[in-house]
Amino acid sequence: MTAPHESHDNRPADRDGGRPAHHRRVRSFVRREGRLTTGQQRALDELWPRFGLDPAPDAGMLDLAAVFGREAPVTLEIGFGDGDSLAEQAAAAPDRDFIGTEVHRPGVGHLLGEIERRGLTNLRVSDRDAVELLEAHFAPASLDTVQVYFPDPWHKKRHHKRRLIQPGFVRALAGWIRPGGWLHLATDWADYAEHMQEVMAGATEWFAPDGPVPRPERPAWRPETKFERRGLQRGHAVADLVYRRTEAPAPAE
């Protein structure tokens, strides 16, 4: 497997009432602004026009080859946090293209600065909700990989329904990942890892495990993240769960 994110705030908003589970509106984030440093604000002002991915609502499907100026496998990271690990991935895999979505503006500004500092040409940044961006602007099977690293665990039991990794969400993702493509999840919360496995076990029409799940150690293509280090310091075990897209999604009911 070639290199297939990090976030502390991958939070789905409330679902639309009355819809079947796989039709309910899901959102990947609750928007949080945070305080910008001078450097992050400069990056947003000066670098967003070059590296920001913000298509107009009526722009239709993105031509990813035109966005990057070439044909290459595309990885989408949902909720990249400060973006350091995503920038490291892009630097280590110049033959691949990367898109990161994050609504926390300091993180967006930080990643833009890293793109400039590292001289990256294969990374674009969005501050949009990932589900809305995908639904409006990504063609079916246009992605090679989706990665969701350390999403908000919503560790209280009454909040589990707010977790990003839910049956409807992974079913929707299947439509945008090419056959044979990848979904890579990582968490340092044991009960969330179990939840992820339960959700994915019910999604075998679209994702099938490749190798042991969770993996016995961090895959070489995933850099260690800030939130991962914090979890390890607290004695948490990190679980990497990697799945492969093998079938076309079933028709919507």
Side-chain angles (χ1 to χ4, degrees), residues 79-132:
F80 55 73
D82 65 11
D84 282 342
S85 64
L86 181 57
E88 187 173 340
Q89 276 190 289
D95 58 330
R96 301 176 62 86
D97 292 327
F98 295 82
I99 297 170
T101 65
E102 173 62 66
V103 299
H104 190 231
R105 284 173 59 78
V108 173
H110 181 83
L111 180 54
L112 289 169
E114 282 297 297
I115 292 174
E116 179 183 52
R117 184 180 73 82
R118 294 171 179 261
L120 300 175
T121 60
N122 62 333
L123 177 54
R124 298 293 183 271
V125 185
S126 172
D127 65 357
R128 300 266 290 276
D129 173 83
V131 176
E132 293 180 354

Side-chain angles (χ1 to χ4, degrees), residues 147-164:
Q147 53 195 41
V148 185
Y149 297 160
F150 305 97
D152 192 312
W154 292 103
H155 53 84
K156 293 182 179 179
K157 188 172 182 178
R158 69 178 182 272
H159 292 156
H160 285 184
K161 64 183 179 181
R162 300 181 184 181
R163 289 173 167 174
L164 177 64

Side-chain angles (χ1 to χ4, degrees), residues 1-146:
M1 175 179 172
T2 53
H5 131 41
E6 162 181 349
S7 177
H8 50 289
D9 201 40
N10 295 60
R11 306 180 184 183
D14 290 340
R15 310 296 199 269
D16 293 337
R19 296 183 184 181
H22 58 280
H23 284 175
R24 291 173 181 167
R25 166 68 61 183
V26 295
R27 295 176 63 85
S28 60
F29 303 101
V30 169
R31 183 170 294 279
R32 301 188 311 117
E33 288 299 318
R35 178 174 295 181
L36 293 164
T37 67
T38 301
Q40 290 164 354
Q41 185 63 64
R42 181 202 68 82
L44 287 166
D45 292 340
E46 298 180 9
L47 302 177
W48 180 260
R50 292 170 57 193
F51 303 110
L53 189 67
D54 189 23
D58 60 352
M61 297 295 112
L62 286 168
D63 181 346
L64 295 178
V67 168
F68 290 100
R70 64 174 183 176
E71 295 275 359
V74 178
T75 293
L76 172 69
E77 180 163 330
I78 298 176
F80 55 73
D82 65 11
D84 282 342
S85 64
L86 181 57
E88 187 173 340
Q89 276 190 289
D95 58 330
R96 301 176 62 86
D97 292 327
F98 295 82
I99 297 170
T101 65
E102 173 62 66
V103 299
H104 190 231
R105 284 173 59 78
V108 173
H110 181 83
L111 180 54
L112 289 169
E114 282 297 297
I115 292 174
E116 179 183 52
R117 184 180 73 82
R118 294 171 179 261
L120 300 175
T121 60
N122 62 333
L123 177 54
R124 298 293 183 271
V125 185
S126 172
D127 65 357
R128 300 266 290 276
D129 173 83
V131 176
E132 293 180 354
L133 185 71
L134 285 163
E135 289 182 342
H137 303 297
F138 280 74
S142 58
L143 297 171
D144 179 79
T145 300
V146 170

